mmCIF file of all heavy atoms in Angstrom:
data_model
loop_
_atom_site.group_PDB
_atom_site.id
_atom_site.type_symbol
_atom_site.label_atom_id
_atom_site.label_comp_id
_atom_site.label_asym_id
_atom_site.label_seq_id
_atom_site.Cartn_x
_atom_site.Cartn_y
_atom_site.Cartn_z
ATOM 1 N N LEU A 1 0.826 -1.205 0.000
ATOM 2 C CA LEU A 1 0.000 0.000 0.000
ATOM 3 C C LEU A 1 0.858 1.252 0.000
ATOM 4 O O LEU A 1 1.914 1.307 0.622
ATOM 5 C CB LEU A 1 -0.930 0.015 1.222
ATOM 6 C CG LEU A 1 -1.806 -1.227 1.446
ATOM 7 C CD1 LEU A 1 -2.804 -0.954 2.575
ATOM 8 C CD2 LEU A 1 -2.522 -1.657 0.186
ATOM 9 N N VAL A 2 0.393 2.263 -0.708
ATOM 10 C CA VAL A 2 1.075 3.552 -0.754
ATOM 11 C C VAL A 2 0.036 4.653 -0.570
ATOM 12 O O VAL A 2 -1.159 4.443 -0.781
ATOM 13 C CB VAL A 2 1.815 3.761 -2.093
ATOM 14 C CG1 VAL A 2 2.934 2.751 -2.248
ATOM 15 C CG2 VAL A 2 0.844 3.677 -3.282
ATOM 16 N N SER A 3 0.493 5.803 -0.146
ATOM 17 C CA SER A 3 -0.393 6.940 0.025
ATOM 18 C C SER A 3 -0.875 7.449 -1.332
ATOM 19 O O SER A 3 -0.138 7.421 -2.319
ATOM 20 C CB SER A 3 0.314 8.060 0.780
ATOM 21 O OG SER A 3 -0.460 9.242 0.772
ATOM 22 N N GLU A 4 -2.118 7.910 -1.356
ATOM 23 C CA GLU A 4 -2.645 8.493 -2.591
ATOM 24 C C GLU A 4 -1.798 9.675 -3.060
ATOM 25 O O GLU A 4 -1.730 9.963 -4.261
ATOM 26 C CB GLU A 4 -4.083 8.976 -2.373
ATOM 27 C CG GLU A 4 -5.121 7.895 -2.404
ATOM 28 C CD GLU A 4 -6.527 8.455 -2.306
ATOM 29 O OE1 GLU A 4 -6.757 9.384 -1.489
ATOM 30 O OE2 GLU A 4 -7.408 7.976 -3.024
ATOM 31 N N ASN A 5 -1.166 10.349 -2.124
ATOM 32 C CA ASN A 5 -0.371 11.523 -2.456
ATOM 33 C C ASN A 5 0.995 11.171 -3.041
ATOM 34 O O ASN A 5 1.706 12.054 -3.526
ATOM 35 C CB ASN A 5 -0.179 12.396 -1.218
ATOM 36 C CG ASN A 5 -1.494 12.877 -0.637
ATOM 37 O OD1 ASN A 5 -2.429 13.187 -1.378
ATOM 38 N ND2 ASN A 5 -1.585 12.947 0.698
ATOM 39 N N ASP A 6 1.363 9.886 -2.942
ATOM 40 C CA ASP A 6 2.686 9.472 -3.406
ATOM 41 C C ASP A 6 2.620 8.556 -4.627
ATOM 42 O O ASP A 6 3.569 7.817 -4.896
ATOM 43 C CB ASP A 6 3.429 8.742 -2.273
ATOM 44 C CG ASP A 6 3.641 9.630 -1.066
ATOM 45 O OD1 ASP A 6 3.796 10.846 -1.248
ATOM 46 O OD2 ASP A 6 3.650 9.102 0.071
ATOM 47 N N LEU A 7 1.519 8.585 -5.352
ATOM 48 C CA LEU A 7 1.363 7.698 -6.498
ATOM 49 C C LEU A 7 2.316 8.084 -7.620
ATOM 50 O O LEU A 7 2.452 9.257 -7.970
ATOM 51 C CB LEU A 7 -0.073 7.733 -7.025
ATOM 52 C CG LEU A 7 -1.167 7.257 -6.064
ATOM 53 C CD1 LEU A 7 -2.519 7.245 -6.764
ATOM 54 C CD2 LEU A 7 -0.850 5.862 -5.546
ATOM 55 N N GLN A 8 2.995 7.094 -8.174
ATOM 56 C CA GLN A 8 3.867 7.287 -9.320
ATOM 57 C C GLN A 8 3.343 6.462 -10.484
ATOM 58 O O GLN A 8 3.437 5.244 -10.502
ATOM 59 C CB GLN A 8 5.305 6.887 -8.987
ATOM 60 C CG GLN A 8 5.974 7.805 -7.978
ATOM 61 C CD GLN A 8 7.436 7.475 -7.786
ATOM 62 O OE1 GLN A 8 7.948 6.520 -8.343
ATOM 63 N NE2 GLN A 8 8.136 8.281 -7.015
ATOM 64 N N MET A 9 2.755 7.134 -11.438
ATOM 65 C CA MET A 9 2.175 6.466 -12.592
ATOM 66 C C MET A 9 3.199 6.295 -13.705
ATOM 67 O O MET A 9 4.204 7.008 -13.766
ATOM 68 C CB MET A 9 0.974 7.270 -13.116
ATOM 69 C CG MET A 9 -0.110 7.520 -12.083
ATOM 70 S SD MET A 9 -0.867 5.976 -11.499
ATOM 71 C CE MET A 9 -2.151 6.616 -10.432
ATOM 72 N N SER A 10 2.906 5.358 -14.569
ATOM 73 C CA SER A 10 3.711 5.174 -15.769
ATOM 74 C C SER A 10 3.590 6.413 -16.659
ATOM 75 O O SER A 10 2.579 7.117 -16.658
ATOM 76 C CB SER A 10 3.226 3.930 -16.520
ATOM 77 O OG SER A 10 3.686 3.920 -17.848
ATOM 78 N N LEU A 11 4.640 6.669 -17.422
ATOM 79 C CA LEU A 11 4.645 7.808 -18.327
ATOM 80 C C LEU A 11 3.487 7.741 -19.310
ATOM 81 O O LEU A 11 2.936 8.754 -19.731
ATOM 82 C CB LEU A 11 5.974 7.864 -19.081
ATOM 83 C CG LEU A 11 6.163 9.006 -20.071
ATOM 84 C CD1 LEU A 11 6.168 10.350 -19.326
ATOM 85 C CD2 LEU A 11 7.481 8.833 -20.850
ATOM 86 N N PHE A 12 3.084 6.542 -19.672
ATOM 87 C CA PHE A 12 2.026 6.347 -20.661
ATOM 88 C C PHE A 12 0.692 5.968 -20.015
ATOM 89 O O PHE A 12 -0.239 5.540 -20.698
ATOM 90 C CB PHE A 12 2.444 5.256 -21.651
ATOM 91 C CG PHE A 12 3.762 5.524 -22.325
ATOM 92 C CD1 PHE A 12 4.903 4.853 -21.911
ATOM 93 C CD2 PHE A 12 3.859 6.470 -23.333
ATOM 94 C CE1 PHE A 12 6.131 5.107 -22.507
ATOM 95 C CE2 PHE A 12 5.090 6.717 -23.941
ATOM 96 C CZ PHE A 12 6.220 6.045 -23.528
ATOM 97 N N HIS A 13 0.604 6.121 -18.692
ATOM 98 C CA HIS A 13 -0.611 5.749 -17.976
ATOM 99 C C HIS A 13 -1.760 6.668 -18.339
ATOM 100 O O HIS A 13 -1.641 7.895 -18.331
ATOM 101 C CB HIS A 13 -0.392 5.800 -16.468
ATOM 102 C CG HIS A 13 -1.644 5.571 -15.686
ATOM 103 N ND1 HIS A 13 -2.162 4.329 -15.480
ATOM 104 C CD2 HIS A 13 -2.500 6.449 -15.079
ATOM 105 C CE1 HIS A 13 -3.265 4.432 -14.766
ATOM 106 N NE2 HIS A 13 -3.493 5.706 -14.504
ATOM 107 N N GLN A 14 -2.888 6.086 -18.663
ATOM 108 C CA GLN A 14 -4.104 6.829 -18.929
ATOM 109 C C GLN A 14 -5.248 6.184 -18.158
ATOM 110 O O GLN A 14 -5.604 5.038 -18.408
ATOM 111 C CB GLN A 14 -4.438 6.860 -20.426
ATOM 112 C CG GLN A 14 -3.468 7.693 -21.241
ATOM 113 C CD GLN A 14 -3.904 7.790 -22.695
ATOM 114 O OE1 GLN A 14 -4.774 7.077 -23.165
ATOM 115 N NE2 GLN A 14 -3.275 8.703 -23.427
ATOM 116 N N GLU A 15 -5.800 6.917 -17.221
ATOM 117 C CA GLU A 15 -6.893 6.413 -16.413
ATOM 118 C C GLU A 15 -8.147 6.271 -17.259
ATOM 119 O O GLU A 15 -8.572 7.207 -17.932
ATOM 120 C CB GLU A 15 -7.166 7.376 -15.232
ATOM 121 C CG GLU A 15 -8.212 6.890 -14.268
ATOM 122 C CD GLU A 15 -7.606 6.172 -13.113
ATOM 123 O OE1 GLU A 15 -6.413 6.298 -12.951
ATOM 124 O OE2 GLU A 15 -8.302 5.522 -12.363
ATOM 125 N N HIS A 16 -8.741 5.086 -17.265
ATOM 126 C CA HIS A 16 -9.974 4.872 -17.992
ATOM 127 C C HIS A 16 -11.079 5.677 -17.321
ATOM 128 O O HIS A 16 -11.115 5.821 -16.103
ATOM 129 C CB HIS A 16 -10.329 3.384 -17.996
ATOM 130 C CG HIS A 16 -11.391 3.029 -18.981
ATOM 131 N ND1 HIS A 16 -12.726 3.211 -18.713
ATOM 132 C CD2 HIS A 16 -11.325 2.517 -20.219
ATOM 133 C CE1 HIS A 16 -13.427 2.819 -19.753
ATOM 134 N NE2 HIS A 16 -12.611 2.378 -20.682
ATOM 135 N N LYS A 17 -11.973 6.215 -18.121
ATOM 136 C CA LYS A 17 -13.001 7.103 -17.577
ATOM 137 C C LYS A 17 -13.861 6.437 -16.507
ATOM 138 O O LYS A 17 -14.328 7.083 -15.567
ATOM 139 C CB LYS A 17 -13.885 7.638 -18.702
ATOM 140 C CG LYS A 17 -14.681 6.572 -19.458
ATOM 141 C CD LYS A 17 -15.521 7.204 -20.554
ATOM 142 C CE LYS A 17 -16.332 6.164 -21.307
ATOM 143 N NZ LYS A 17 -17.169 6.789 -22.375
ATOM 144 N N ILE A 18 -14.085 5.127 -16.635
ATOM 145 C CA ILE A 18 -14.941 4.428 -15.687
ATOM 146 C C ILE A 18 -14.245 4.227 -14.338
ATOM 147 O O ILE A 18 -14.876 3.938 -13.325
ATOM 148 C CB ILE A 18 -15.407 3.081 -16.271
ATOM 149 C CG1 ILE A 18 -16.686 2.614 -15.578
ATOM 150 C CG2 ILE A 18 -14.314 2.015 -16.154
ATOM 151 C CD1 ILE A 18 -17.383 1.458 -16.262
ATOM 152 N N GLU A 19 -12.916 4.388 -14.362
ATOM 153 C CA GLU A 19 -12.141 4.243 -13.146
ATOM 154 C C GLU A 19 -11.845 5.579 -12.481
ATOM 155 O O GLU A 19 -11.047 5.670 -11.568
ATOM 156 C CB GLU A 19 -10.836 3.507 -13.444
ATOM 157 C CG GLU A 19 -11.043 2.090 -13.937
ATOM 158 C CD GLU A 19 -9.754 1.419 -14.376
ATOM 159 O OE1 GLU A 19 -8.686 2.006 -14.207
ATOM 160 O OE2 GLU A 19 -9.837 0.314 -14.888
ATOM 161 N N ASN A 20 -12.496 6.596 -12.953
ATOM 162 C CA ASN A 20 -12.288 7.917 -12.405
ATOM 163 C C ASN A 20 -12.625 7.947 -10.920
ATOM 164 O O ASN A 20 -13.594 7.354 -10.461
ATOM 165 C CB ASN A 20 -13.159 8.922 -13.151
ATOM 166 C CG ASN A 20 -12.787 10.358 -12.837
ATOM 167 O OD1 ASN A 20 -13.009 10.829 -11.740
ATOM 168 N ND2 ASN A 20 -12.193 11.042 -13.811
ATOM 169 N N ALA A 21 -11.812 8.644 -10.152
ATOM 170 C CA ALA A 21 -12.002 8.704 -8.699
ATOM 171 C C ALA A 21 -13.352 9.276 -8.311
ATOM 172 O O ALA A 21 -13.891 8.956 -7.239
ATOM 173 C CB ALA A 21 -10.885 9.532 -8.071
ATOM 174 N N HIS A 22 -13.921 10.134 -9.173
ATOM 175 C CA HIS A 22 -15.215 10.735 -8.858
ATOM 176 C C HIS A 22 -16.315 9.684 -8.743
ATOM 177 O O HIS A 22 -17.251 9.839 -7.954
ATOM 178 C CB HIS A 22 -15.592 11.768 -9.928
ATOM 179 C CG HIS A 22 -14.671 12.957 -9.954
ATOM 180 N ND1 HIS A 22 -14.515 13.800 -8.866
ATOM 181 C CD2 HIS A 22 -13.860 13.431 -10.930
ATOM 182 C CE1 HIS A 22 -13.651 14.755 -9.179
ATOM 183 N NE2 HIS A 22 -13.237 14.547 -10.426
ATOM 184 N N LEU A 23 -16.212 8.611 -9.518
ATOM 185 C CA LEU A 23 -17.214 7.552 -9.464
ATOM 186 C C LEU A 23 -17.180 6.841 -8.116
ATOM 187 O O LEU A 23 -18.223 6.608 -7.498
ATOM 188 C CB LEU A 23 -16.988 6.552 -10.604
ATOM 189 C CG LEU A 23 -17.958 5.363 -10.666
ATOM 190 C CD1 LEU A 23 -19.387 5.838 -10.812
ATOM 191 C CD2 LEU A 23 -17.589 4.439 -11.850
ATOM 192 N N SER A 24 -15.977 6.510 -7.648
ATOM 193 C CA SER A 24 -15.840 5.861 -6.343
ATOM 194 C C SER A 24 -16.352 6.753 -5.227
ATOM 195 O O SER A 24 -17.038 6.299 -4.309
ATOM 196 C CB SER A 24 -14.373 5.496 -6.076
ATOM 197 O OG SER A 24 -13.934 4.479 -6.951
ATOM 198 N N LYS A 25 -16.026 8.045 -5.299
ATOM 199 C CA LYS A 25 -16.485 8.977 -4.276
ATOM 200 C C LYS A 25 -18.003 9.088 -4.265
ATOM 201 O O LYS A 25 -18.624 9.179 -3.203
ATOM 202 C CB LYS A 25 -15.844 10.350 -4.503
ATOM 203 C CG LYS A 25 -14.352 10.392 -4.195
ATOM 204 C CD LYS A 25 -13.780 11.782 -4.420
ATOM 205 C CE LYS A 25 -12.284 11.816 -4.102
ATOM 206 N NZ LYS A 25 -11.699 13.162 -4.336
ATOM 207 N N ALA A 26 -18.603 9.097 -5.458
ATOM 208 C CA ALA A 26 -20.062 9.186 -5.550
ATOM 209 C C ALA A 26 -20.718 7.944 -4.961
ATOM 210 O O ALA A 26 -21.701 8.042 -4.216
ATOM 211 C CB ALA A 26 -20.486 9.367 -7.009
ATOM 212 N N MET A 27 -20.170 6.760 -5.270
ATOM 213 C CA MET A 27 -20.705 5.512 -4.710
ATOM 214 C C MET A 27 -20.555 5.478 -3.196
ATOM 215 O O MET A 27 -21.482 5.085 -2.481
ATOM 216 C CB MET A 27 -19.989 4.317 -5.340
ATOM 217 C CG MET A 27 -20.304 4.098 -6.810
ATOM 218 S SD MET A 27 -19.331 2.769 -7.569
ATOM 219 C CE MET A 27 -19.921 1.326 -6.668
ATOM 220 N N ASP A 28 -19.404 5.924 -2.698
ATOM 221 C CA ASP A 28 -19.177 5.959 -1.255
ATOM 222 C C ASP A 28 -20.167 6.895 -0.569
ATOM 223 O O ASP A 28 -20.699 6.582 0.505
ATOM 224 C CB ASP A 28 -17.746 6.406 -0.946
ATOM 225 C CG ASP A 28 -16.696 5.376 -1.340
ATOM 226 O OD1 ASP A 28 -17.068 4.194 -1.533
ATOM 227 O OD2 ASP A 28 -15.510 5.747 -1.465
ATOM 228 N N ALA A 29 -20.419 8.044 -1.187
ATOM 229 C CA ALA A 29 -21.331 9.027 -0.598
ATOM 230 C C ALA A 29 -22.753 8.483 -0.514
ATOM 231 O O ALA A 29 -23.444 8.647 0.499
ATOM 232 C CB ALA A 29 -21.309 10.319 -1.419
ATOM 233 N N ILE A 30 -23.192 7.820 -1.580
ATOM 234 C CA ILE A 30 -24.549 7.259 -1.607
ATOM 235 C C ILE A 30 -24.687 6.147 -0.566
ATOM 236 O O ILE A 30 -25.669 6.090 0.179
ATOM 237 C CB ILE A 30 -24.884 6.732 -3.010
ATOM 238 C CG1 ILE A 30 -24.969 7.894 -4.011
ATOM 239 C CG2 ILE A 30 -26.206 5.951 -2.995
ATOM 240 C CD1 ILE A 30 -25.082 7.458 -5.457
ATOM 241 N N ASN A 31 -23.706 5.256 -0.510
ATOM 242 C CA ASN A 31 -23.756 4.139 0.437
ATOM 243 C C ASN A 31 -23.647 4.611 1.883
ATOM 244 O O ASN A 31 -24.230 4.015 2.786
ATOM 245 C CB ASN A 31 -22.655 3.128 0.127
ATOM 246 C CG ASN A 31 -22.914 2.357 -1.144
ATOM 247 O OD1 ASN A 31 -24.062 2.138 -1.526
ATOM 248 N ND2 ASN A 31 -21.863 1.952 -1.843
#
């Protein structure tokens, strides 16, 4: 495990839209 503030992504990393952090936050808020 690593801190969210210390994430080191690959140079070519592209977050898929469905994996966007906003989706997780929205689900957490509703639940």
Side-chain angles (χ1 to χ4, degrees):
L1 307 188
V2 295
S3 171
E4 281 185 318
N5 300 323
D6 299 328
L7 298 184
Q8 292 186 356
M9 303 297 184
S10 163
L11 180 65
F12 305 103
H13 174 79
Q14 291 185 347
E15 185 95 14
H16 194 279
K17 63 180 181 179
I18 202 168
E19 297 174 5
N20 192 290
H22 294 299
L23 179 59
S24 292
K25 289 181 180 179
M27 291 175 65
D28 291 342
I30 293 171
N31 289 331

